[in-house]
Amino acid sequence: MTDDMVKSLSDLKEEEVLSIVKDRLDAGGDPMKVLDDCRTAMGIVGERYEKEEYFIPHLVYSGEILKEILEMVKPKLAEGEGLERSGKVIIGTVAGDIHDIGKNIVTFMLDANGFDVRDIGVDVPPEQFVKEIKEFEPEVVGLSGFLTISFDSMKETIEAINKAGLRDKVKIMIGGGTLDDSLVKYTGADAFRRFAGGAVALAKEWIGGK
Ligand code: B12
């Protein structure tokens, strides 16, 4: 962890953090380490929001800077990855939740690892997930959520998949900032993974990709 990147990102110093990231990547720095530092900095941003040192505009701005960093990191993440298509995945952020940066990283990593990914966006109602599953016929469904209220949206989404008679056709993974393993049982999912790397490894395990 390099404190200057975490400090300048959590202080929302856009130009400063973008040049630090550029220097690190140009010097051959590990793109996954950059994502690690982003997560650490976002944790600090979240704490300052809770302590009312930061407000909505700061959250919005932190999200915008994060998206710029992601555009810089993506090409480095894709380097050397095989592109043989090996299975279909649907992913979306559940109803009531508009956080998409974490989901976008998972979508990107699955795509870079050869999965055919249909990202259906944010604030997705359960019936939309059902419609997309019938249409796309994925082996895996990923539910993303960053709010505590999203736990119930995940539960309702999985209940809708069940009611539509599709539950035994798909494996369901959940993830997002405030989730942990205890929510697998509560939501009815098959597994939880904390990071994008874990989502890729699990999809490979479930679909038997290379
Ligand atoms: C940026 C941000 C926003 C931005 C989002 C921008 C965007 N386009 O996504 C905006 C401004 C929109 C926002 C809005 C709000 N936010 Co907000 N937000 C954040 C913040 C600071 C960072 C989130 C983020 O993108 N992190 C970066 C990513 C990369 O994080 P990551 O967790 O490492 O991502 C990995 C995993 O999550 C995982 N993953 C993600 N999805 C999936 C899916 C699967 C299947 C798997 C396996 C893995 C997986 O893989 C990712 C990559 O490795 C967090 C604080 C935090 N610590 O997370 C608060 C936070 C999530 N927000 C919070 C709140 C309260 C809100 C608001 C309600 C504020 C308000 N009053 O309006 C609104 C809600 C809007 C809504 N309906 O969703 C709270 C949630 C509290 C709670 N427990 O419910 C937090 C925790 C801040 C806090 N500490 O209070 N927010």
Side-chain angles (χ1 to χ4, degrees):
M1 183 170 88
T2 53
D3 293 329
D4 55 349
M5 184 193 150
V6 171
K7 182 161 181 1
S8 54
L9 178 51
S10 54
D11 292 347
L12 306 180
K13 295 214 173 99
E14 183 177 7
E15 294 314 316
E16 195 178 296
V17 70
L18 294 182
S19 77
I20 291 171
V21 170
K22 185 177 179 314
D23 295 347
R24 273 173 66 169
L25 294 175
D26 289 352
D30 179 359
M32 291 308 286
K33 282 276 171 295
V34 172
L35 291 183
D36 283 350
D37 287 349
C38 286
R39 186 174 319 108
T40 309
M42 285 301 123
I44 296 168
V45 169
E47 283 155 24
R48 289 179 183 170
Y49 175 76
E50 282 175 30
K51 286 188 280 181
E52 299 196 351
E53 292 165 15
Y54 277 0
F55 302 91
I56 300 289
H58 298 97
L59 286 188
V60 173
Y61 190 37
S62 72
E64 296 309 316
I65 301 173
L66 210 51
K67 285 193 171 174
E68 291 181 84
I69 294 173
L70 201 53
E71 289 314 309
M72 295 166 75
V73 167
K74 272 185 178 173
K76 301 288 178 187
L77 281 174
E79 273 167 13
E81 296 295 348
L83 284 181
E84 201 182 309
R85 296 288 142 201
S86 54
K88 294 199 283 186
V89 180
I90 278 183
I91 188 166
T93 300
V94 294
D97 196 326
I98 62 167
H99 292 83
D100 68 351
I101 296 166
K103 168 184 67 62
N104 295 351
I105 295 172
V106 177
T107 298
F108 178 78
M109 295 287 285
L110 286 167
D111 178 64
N113 282 276
F115 291 95
D116 195 354
V117 190
R118 181 181 281 191
D119 184 328
I120 58 176
V122 296
D123 191 15
V124 181
E127 55 278 7
Q128 182 67 23
F129 273 99
V130 168
K131 179 173 166 292
E132 298 276 355
I133 291 169
K134 282 181 180 160
E135 218 175 80
F136 190 61
E137 295 182 330
E139 289 97 342
V140 172
V141 174
L143 305 181
S144 183
F146 274 71
L147 303 175
T148 306
I149 54 167
S150 298
F151 306 165
D152 289 321
S153 300
M154 288 179 172
K155 188 174 178 355
E156 285 148 24
T157 301
I158 297 173
E159 278 163 5
I161 293 170
N162 237 327
K163 214 150 139 260
L166 299 165
R167 187 65 184 90
D168 54 3
K169 293 197 174 56
V170 293
K171 283 278 198 183
I172 302 178
M173 60 169 84
I174 58 174
T178 51
L179 269 81
D180 61 42
D181 254 322
S182 67
L183 287 153
V184 170
K185 197 157 175 299
Y186 178 75
T187 59
D190 295 296
F192 158 78
R193 288 294 182 275
R194 178 69 189 84
F195 305 121
V200 171
L202 185 59
K204 284 184 176 176
E205 194 187 303
W206 281 345
I207 302 179
K210 296 188 186 42

